[in-house]
Amino acid sequence: QVQLTESGGDSVQAGGSLALSCAVSGSALSARCLGWFRQGPGKQREGVAVIHPGGAITYVDSVKGRFTISEGNDKTTLTLQMNSLKPEDSGMYYCAAREVGWSCRVGYPADFKYWGQGTQVTVSA
């Protein structure tokens, strides 16, 4: 059974920082793609950042230079460090995963098979 559990969401002021964590479990994911996605009120779910099986990282343009995705050495934790937060960064943030061998593009949430329940981030002006 694959499980993804997010934590770390909070309410912050613009310009602040937050670090989101995702606990990853499930032996089927020993080699896989991991990513962070978000969904604001009334908006479609969008990709934020993806770590590919070989270690390559892809960010959506709107977060480049502000957000950093990383994976723990034990492969059980995925982190999203968010700096210089803006009100438009508000939304529910989701951790997602896909087995190696499948597409896992940051711009395509449908590529990802496994999802967590999400953690809320609210950035006030």
Side-chain angles (χ1 to χ4, degrees), residues 2 6 17 40-41 55 66 76 79 81 85 92 94-95 101 103 109-110 121 125:
V2 174
E6 305 93 337
S17 298
R66 300 188 299 122
T76 63
T79 299
Q81 177 65 44
L85 282 162
M92 188 70 77
Y94 299 91
C95 176
S103 294
V121 172

Short mmCIF file of all heavy atoms in Angstrom, two decimals, residues 2 6 17 40-41 55 66 76 79 81 85 92 94-95 101 103 109-110 121 125:
data_model
loop_
_atom_site.label_atom_id
_atom_site.label_comp_id
_atom_site.label_asym_id
_atom_site.label_seq_id
_atom_site.Cartn_x
_atom_site.Cartn_y
_atom_site.Cartn_z
N VAL A 2 0.66 2.12 -0.96
CA VAL A 2 1.42 3.36 -1.05
C VAL A 2 0.73 4.43 -0.22
O VAL A 2 -0.49 4.60 -0.31
CB VAL A 2 1.51 3.83 -2.51
CG1 VAL A 2 2.18 5.19 -2.58
CG2 VAL A 2 2.25 2.80 -3.34
N GLU A 6 1.26 14.55 3.79
CA GLU A 6 1.85 15.89 3.82
C GLU A 6 1.68 16.53 5.18
O GLU A 6 0.73 16.22 5.92
CB GLU A 6 1.19 16.80 2.77
CG GLU A 6 1.21 16.29 1.35
CD GLU A 6 -0.02 15.50 0.97
OE1 GLU A 6 -0.70 14.97 1.88
OE2 GLU A 6 -0.31 15.41 -0.24
N SER A 17 8.39 32.36 4.78
CA SER A 17 8.84 31.05 4.33
C SER A 17 8.08 29.94 5.03
O SER A 17 7.59 30.12 6.15
CB SER A 17 10.34 30.87 4.62
OG SER A 17 11.12 31.82 3.93
N GLY A 40 -5.29 26.18 -5.94
CA GLY A 40 -5.89 27.32 -5.30
C GLY A 40 -7.39 27.32 -5.44
O GLY A 40 -7.94 26.56 -6.25
N PRO A 41 -8.08 28.14 -4.67
CA PRO A 41 -9.54 28.22 -4.75
C PRO A 41 -10.01 28.53 -6.16
O PRO A 41 -9.56 29.52 -6.76
CB PRO A 41 -9.88 29.36 -3.78
CG PRO A 41 -8.71 29.47 -2.88
CD PRO A 41 -7.52 29.10 -3.70
N GLY A 55 17.30 11.94 -10.48
CA GLY A 55 17.69 13.07 -9.66
C GLY A 55 17.45 14.42 -10.29
O GLY A 55 17.59 15.44 -9.62
N ARG A 66 12.62 30.52 -5.85
CA ARG A 66 11.99 30.73 -4.54
C ARG A 66 11.73 29.41 -3.82
O ARG A 66 11.82 29.34 -2.59
CB ARG A 66 10.65 31.46 -4.71
CG ARG A 66 10.76 32.82 -5.36
CD ARG A 66 9.43 33.58 -5.33
NE ARG A 66 8.37 32.89 -6.06
CZ ARG A 66 7.22 32.52 -5.51
NH1 ARG A 66 6.98 32.73 -4.23
NH2 ARG A 66 6.29 31.91 -6.26
N THR A 76 12.45 8.44 2.27
CA THR A 76 11.14 8.36 2.90
C THR A 76 10.51 9.73 3.14
O THR A 76 9.41 9.83 3.67
CB THR A 76 11.21 7.61 4.25
OG1 THR A 76 12.05 8.33 5.15
CG2 THR A 76 11.74 6.19 4.06
N THR A 79 10.60 17.05 0.69
CA THR A 79 10.45 18.38 1.29
C THR A 79 10.30 19.44 0.20
O THR A 79 10.89 19.34 -0.88
CB THR A 79 11.68 18.71 2.15
OG1 THR A 79 11.79 17.74 3.19
CG2 THR A 79 11.55 20.09 2.77
N GLN A 81 10.82 23.46 0.30
CA GLN A 81 11.16 24.69 1.00
C GLN A 81 10.66 25.86 0.16
O GLN A 81 11.05 26.00 -1.00
CB GLN A 81 12.67 24.79 1.20
CG GLN A 81 13.12 26.09 1.86
CD GLN A 81 12.61 26.23 3.28
OE1 GLN A 81 12.66 25.29 4.06
NE2 GLN A 81 12.11 27.42 3.60
N LEU A 85 7.35 33.93 -0.17
CA LEU A 85 5.99 33.52 -0.54
C LEU A 85 5.14 34.72 -0.96
O LEU A 85 5.30 35.83 -0.44
CB LEU A 85 5.34 32.79 0.62
CG LEU A 85 5.81 31.34 0.80
CD1 LEU A 85 5.48 30.82 2.19
CD2 LEU A 85 5.16 30.46 -0.27
N MET A 92 -4.06 24.45 -1.57
CA MET A 92 -3.79 23.15 -0.98
C MET A 92 -2.61 22.54 -1.73
O MET A 92 -2.63 22.47 -2.97
CB MET A 92 -5.02 22.25 -1.12
CG MET A 92 -4.90 20.94 -0.38
SD MET A 92 -4.94 21.15 1.40
CE MET A 92 -6.69 21.41 1.66
N TYR A 94 -0.18 19.32 -2.51
CA TYR A 94 -0.24 17.86 -2.53
C TYR A 94 1.10 17.26 -2.92
O TYR A 94 1.78 17.77 -3.81
CB TYR A 94 -1.28 17.38 -3.55
CG TYR A 94 -2.69 17.82 -3.28
CD1 TYR A 94 -3.18 19.00 -3.82
CD2 TYR A 94 -3.54 17.06 -2.48
CE1 TYR A 94 -4.48 19.42 -3.59
CE2 TYR A 94 -4.85 17.46 -2.24
CZ TYR A 94 -5.30 18.64 -2.80
OH TYR A 94 -6.60 19.05 -2.56
N CYS A 95 1.43 16.17 -2.28
CA CYS A 95 2.56 15.34 -2.66
C CYS A 95 2.04 14.24 -3.57
O CYS A 95 0.93 13.71 -3.34
CB CYS A 95 3.15 14.76 -1.38
SG CYS A 95 4.50 13.59 -1.60
N GLY A 101 9.45 4.67 -15.11
CA GLY A 101 9.02 4.09 -16.38
C GLY A 101 7.80 4.77 -16.97
O GLY A 101 7.43 4.52 -18.12
N SER A 103 5.65 8.59 -17.53
CA SER A 103 5.84 10.03 -17.60
C SER A 103 5.52 10.65 -16.25
O SER A 103 4.59 10.22 -15.56
CB SER A 103 4.94 10.64 -18.67
OG SER A 103 5.31 10.20 -19.96
N PRO A 109 -0.49 16.92 -13.88
CA PRO A 109 -0.89 16.17 -12.69
C PRO A 109 -1.42 14.77 -13.02
O PRO A 109 -1.26 13.85 -12.22
CB PRO A 109 -1.98 17.04 -12.07
CG PRO A 109 -1.67 18.42 -12.52
CD PRO A 109 -1.12 18.26 -13.91
N ALA A 110 -2.04 14.61 -14.17
CA ALA A 110 -2.61 13.32 -14.53
C ALA A 110 -1.54 12.24 -14.71
O ALA A 110 -1.85 11.05 -14.72
CB ALA A 110 -3.44 13.44 -15.80
N VAL A 121 -1.80 25.90 2.54
CA VAL A 121 -0.90 27.04 2.66
C VAL A 121 -1.68 28.30 2.33
O VAL A 121 -2.33 28.39 1.29
CB VAL A 121 0.30 26.91 1.69
CG1 VAL A 121 1.13 28.19 1.68
CG2 VAL A 121 1.16 25.72 2.07
N ALA A 125 -1.45 39.10 2.14
CA ALA A 125 -0.71 40.26 1.61
C ALA A 125 -0.26 41.18 2.73
O ALA A 125 -0.84 41.19 3.82
CB ALA A 125 -1.59 41.02 0.64
#
